[in-house]
């Protein structure tokens, strides 16, 4: 038998990839735990930690190999691995790693990871250490809070109806995923029924960059997006009297359309906001500019930040996503966008089908291996299969806001649920794993907020080291037919 010491790192990597293909994950951790040349390969270090997280090997996550991986890998990879462990019951391991000497505390990613690790933690010694580390890393900026601005905030409707959530899972999906998501839906419904108020607050005399990072003249970092904060004086940059913050590092359509655009609702037909520029990321993707144009916000209404500006009164929205509950108080901006999209669709003479499936067949991430079969099943049921990546943003909005039934695997196309006429029937085919709950349950939350009839079909990703997945069609299609009412039609 060949000793592991006699195997080169490249040979060991091939063995580990073969085990991965066989889903023999325990063999990967066991082999790499005793492999003396593991530190010669960043790929092996990363694979060891990723596999330990995937199989929930607490001892391996807390091992010296993991600590060395965090110390030796580039900052981005190190903090991503720490974040993958930042979930119950391993949150203490993540906290200890981010507080250790193995991380680069000068990295702009450091404070961002500290805040992730402290979020929702119970009081403890580790929590106190995290809080102290945040205070030091932010140079006191963590304690700077926005103040009342004097601008009138829109009032939420007194009565509103939330959307419903139904969950079904394939037989190869562990029950714990169903239970976790069901509980999350109930918790979020409670938040929507007793939300914080939407408010417009302000920071006084601060710098803000194109990514939405905020700091003051003393160098206190109020908001970090994981990028370096330059040392500047106010005379070094353009100065503004006032501006409303919509600058962000966009992570995709969902985050801008759902998280940012509704925040502008208070400015529509509001005399107080008539001369307030909206601060945006001057280097943002084209879809951001297109959405703002559909909202009739351009020219003097928009101030694109290319680098950094100094603002005497920086206005910010407060209250969180749940503050949008009731919707009508923030709806005017989205109504503008939808109306303009439909006007263009009418002029262009495009069809707006009532039942749609938003495909991800050309996506590079979370590839559904049998999506062609899903396409055929949809077409057999009279559902129009669409590739939104081939359509301009106005066309996507016109289709989604008009559709009565929207079916899709998890992906950015479902962000358009925020524009849909309620109550739409929504069926999301949802690949799920233990580290994906927060991000992948967002369209259920949007549906609850907007009053849609949402259903999720859960498919557990069988290989935790790969984002490829498939749908168990013999179980999914009867579920789909029931949701579409086709079984009732057949019975009649």
């Amino acid at each position: 038998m060949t000793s592991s010491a006699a195997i080169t790192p490249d040979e060991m990597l091939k063995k580990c990839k073969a085990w991965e293909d066989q889903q023999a994950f325990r063999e990967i951790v066991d082999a790499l735990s005793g492999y003396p040349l593991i530190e010669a390969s960043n790929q092996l270090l990363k694979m060891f930690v990723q596999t330990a997280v995937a199989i929930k090997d607490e001892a391996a996550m807390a091992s010296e190999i993991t600590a060395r991986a965090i110390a030796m890998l580039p900052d981005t990879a190190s903090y991503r691995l720490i974040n993958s462990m930042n979930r119950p019951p391993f949150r203490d391991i993540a906290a200890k790693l981010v507080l250790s000497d193995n991380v680069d505390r000068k990295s702009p990613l450091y404070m961002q990871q500290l805040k992730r690790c402290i979020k929702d933690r119970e009081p403890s010694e580790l929590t106190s250490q995290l809080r102290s580390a945040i205070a030091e890393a932010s140079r006191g900026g963590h304690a700077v809070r926005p103040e009342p601005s004097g601008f009138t905030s829109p009032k939420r409707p007194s009565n509103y109806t939330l959307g419903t959530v139904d969950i079904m899972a394939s037989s190869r999906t562990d029950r714990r995923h169903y239970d976790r998501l069901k509980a999350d839906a109930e918790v979020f419904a409670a938040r929507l029924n007793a939300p914080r108020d939407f408010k417009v607050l302000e920071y006084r005399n601060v710098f803000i960059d194109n990514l939405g990072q905020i700091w003051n003249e003393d160098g206190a970092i109020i908001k970090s997006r994981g990028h370096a904060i330059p040392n500047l004086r106010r005379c070094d940059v353009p100065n503004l009297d006032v501006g409303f913050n919509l600058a962000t590092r966009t992570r995709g359509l969902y985050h801008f359309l759902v998280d940012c655009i509704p925040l502008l609702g208070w400015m529509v037909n509001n005399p107080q906001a008539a001369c307030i520029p909206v601060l945006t990321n001057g280097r943002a993707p084209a879809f951001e500019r297109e959405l703002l144009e559909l909202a009739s916000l351009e020219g003097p209404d928009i101030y694109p930040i290319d680098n950094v500006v100094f603002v005497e009164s920086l206005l910010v929205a407060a209250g969180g996503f749940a503050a949008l509950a009731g919707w009508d108080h923030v709806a005017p901006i989205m109504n503008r966008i939808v109306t303009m999209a439909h006007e263009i669709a009418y002029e262009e003479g495009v069809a707006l089908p009532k039942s749609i499936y938003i495909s991800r067949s050309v996506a590079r991430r979370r590839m559904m291996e049998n999506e062609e079969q899903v396409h055929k099943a949809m077409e057999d049921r009279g559902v129009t299969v669409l590739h939104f990546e081939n359509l301009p943003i106005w066309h996507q909005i016109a289709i989604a806001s008009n559709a009565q039934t929207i079916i899709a695997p998890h992906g950015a196309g479902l962000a358009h649920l925020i524009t849909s006429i309620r109550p739409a029937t929504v069926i999301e085919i949802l690949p799920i794993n233990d580290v994906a709950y927060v991000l992948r349950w967002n369209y259920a939350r949007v549906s609850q907020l907007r009053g849609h009839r949402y259903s999720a079909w859960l498919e557990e990703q069988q290989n935790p080291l790969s984002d490829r997945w498939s749908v168990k069609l013999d179980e999914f299609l009867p579920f789909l037919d029931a949701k579409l009412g086709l079984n009732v039609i057949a019975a009649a």
Side-chain angles (χ1 to χ4, degrees):
M1 181 175 177
T2 305
S3 167
S4 64
I7 299 175
T8 68
D10 285 344
E11 291 170 333
M12 178 59 83
L13 185 61
K14 288 179 181 178
K15 287 173 67 74
C16 288
K17 287 184 176 179
W19 282 322
E20 180 186 340
D21 291 339
Q22 300 163 20
Q23 298 191 26
F25 305 117
R26 169 51 57 190
E27 282 81 352
I28 296 174
V29 173
D30 289 347
L32 293 180
S33 293
Y35 183 52
L37 301 180
I38 188 171
E39 292 186 17
S41 169
N42 281 358
Q43 285 181 282
L44 290 176
L45 285 168
K46 188 175 178 180
M47 180 174 278
F48 174 84
V49 180
Q50 288 177 326
T51 310
V53 172
I55 65 174
K56 304 181 182 66
D57 188 331
E58 190 167 353
M61 283 186 262
S63 70
E64 182 59 27
I65 297 176
T66 295
R68 294 300 301 150
I70 299 304
M72 296 181 67
L73 290 171
D75 287 349
T76 302
S78 292
Y79 286 113
R80 187 176 290 124
L81 290 174
I82 292 173
N83 199 47
S84 70
M85 292 177 256
N86 187 34
R87 58 186 173 89
F90 313 120
R91 296 196 70 192
D92 282 359
I93 296 174
K96 289 174 181 177
L97 284 169
V98 79
L99 290 168
S100 73
D101 293 333
N102 293 306
V103 299
D104 180 4
R105 297 181 184 180
K106 294 181 180 180
S107 168
L109 296 170
Y110 174 57
M111 186 169 74
Q112 192 177 48
Q113 189 59 54
L114 286 169
K115 289 188 173 182
R116 288 172 178 163
C117 285
I118 201 171
K119 185 178 180 181
D120 300 328
R121 281 187 64 92
E122 296 294 328
S124 68
E125 177 60 30
L126 268 178
T127 304
S128 297
Q129 292 176 27
L130 288 167
R131 190 173 291 112
S132 297
I134 290 170
E136 182 178 354
S138 69
R139 304 171 202 150
H142 73 295
V144 179
R145 297 286 183 267
E147 302 173 354
S149 66
F151 287 90
T152 303
S153 302
K155 294 189 180 298
R156 178 185 299 104
S158 56
N159 296 304
Y160 50 91
T161 302
L162 301 181
T164 59
V165 172
D166 182 37
I167 307 171
M168 286 290 289
S170 71
S171 58
R172 59 189 178 189
T173 300
D174 194 285
R175 173 76 187 198
R176 74 182 186 280
H177 297 302
Y178 172 93
D179 292 340
R180 168 70 186 272
L181 295 177
K182 192 73 173 176
D184 281 1
E186 292 171 358
V187 169
F188 190 65
R191 286 178 56 199
L192 290 176
N193 280 315
R196 292 185 292 172
D197 289 332
F198 182 97
K199 294 181 179 179
V200 180
L201 306 178
E202 73 171 343
Y203 290 108
R204 298 291 302 176
N205 299 314
V206 293
F207 295 96
I208 179 170
D209 69 8
N210 62 300
L211 301 176
Q213 298 189 126
I214 302 170
W215 66 101
N216 63 23
E217 293 176 280
D218 297 327
I221 302 171
I222 299 166
K223 183 178 290 293
S224 170
R225 303 282 190 191
H227 287 254
I229 301 291
N231 183 19
L232 296 169
R233 299 170 298 172
R234 62 189 300 176
C235 62
D236 297 329
V237 299
N239 281 228
L240 300 175
D241 294 332
V242 63
F244 181 73
N245 181 27
L246 209 69
T248 184
R249 179 190 178 190
T250 302
R251 290 171 288 171
L253 176 65
Y254 170 87
H255 298 283
F256 194 71
L257 181 59
V258 175
D259 292 339
C260 297
I261 288 291
L263 305 182
L264 297 169
W266 74 280
M267 303 183 79
V268 177
N269 301 323
N270 182 351
Q272 283 187 306
C275 297
I276 299 173
V278 176
L279 309 183
T280 65
N281 183 350
R283 306 178 190 179
F287 69 76
E288 285 194 19
R289 296 189 296 275
E290 292 165 6
L291 283 169
L292 293 172
E293 288 171 5
L294 289 172
S296 301
L297 289 174
E298 50 189 328
D301 297 328
I302 300 295
Y303 187 102
I305 302 174
D306 291 323
N307 291 296
V308 178
V309 297
F310 184 88
V311 188
E312 292 184 15
S313 174
L314 178 63
L315 304 177
V316 296
F321 185 63
L324 305 180
W327 188 248
D328 290 349
H329 58 308
V330 293
I333 194 71
M334 202 65 73
N335 292 344
R336 276 188 180 183
I337 291 173
V338 171
T339 299
M340 184 63 72
H342 277 267
E343 288 179 3
I344 299 172
Y346 178 78
E347 292 171 0
E348 297 290 331
V350 299
L352 302 178
K354 292 297 184 182
S355 297
I356 64 172
Y357 174 87
I358 306 172
S359 174
R360 280 182 57 83
S361 61
V362 300
R364 295 181 180 179
R365 296 187 303 122
R366 294 191 306 275
M367 291 181 62
M368 187 198 298
E369 294 177 331
N370 58 342
E371 191 165 13
E372 284 189 14
Q373 294 172 269
V374 175
H375 285 184
K376 185 177 185 308
M378 296 299 163
E379 290 166 350
D380 290 344
R381 288 159 174 78
V383 178
T384 302
V385 176
L386 296 167
H387 295 268
F388 269 16
E389 64 273 7
N390 297 328
L391 302 177
I393 197 74
W394 63 262
H395 197 174
Q396 297 177 38
I397 291 170
I399 290 171
S401 62
N402 183 73
Q404 295 174 351
T405 300
I406 301 173
I407 309 167
H410 180 80
L414 285 171
H416 294 294
L417 292 175
I418 200 78
T419 72
S420 299
I421 299 171
R422 54 188 173 189
T425 295
V426 180
I427 302 171
E428 180 176 14
I429 311 171
L430 187 63
I432 198 70
N433 59 46
D434 287 316
V435 298
Y437 292 116
V438 174
L439 293 178
R440 296 198 188 163
W441 200 229
N442 47 6
Y443 298 119
R445 298 186 186 103
V446 172
S447 296
Q448 287 176 279
L449 172 75
R450 293 291 284 118
H452 300 318
R453 296 184 294 263
Y454 172 91
S455 299
W457 176 263
L458 304 185
E459 289 285 358
E460 185 168 6
Q461 291 175 266
Q462 300 301 299
N463 182 347
L465 298 185
S466 170
D467 65 358
R468 299 177 73 90
W469 61 292
S470 63
V471 178
K472 203 169 190 307
L473 285 173
D474 61 327
E475 295 176 358
F476 170 68
L477 293 181
F479 165 81
L480 175 66
D481 288 343
K483 290 298 177 182
L484 296 179
L486 297 182
N487 55 341
V488 177
I489 294 172

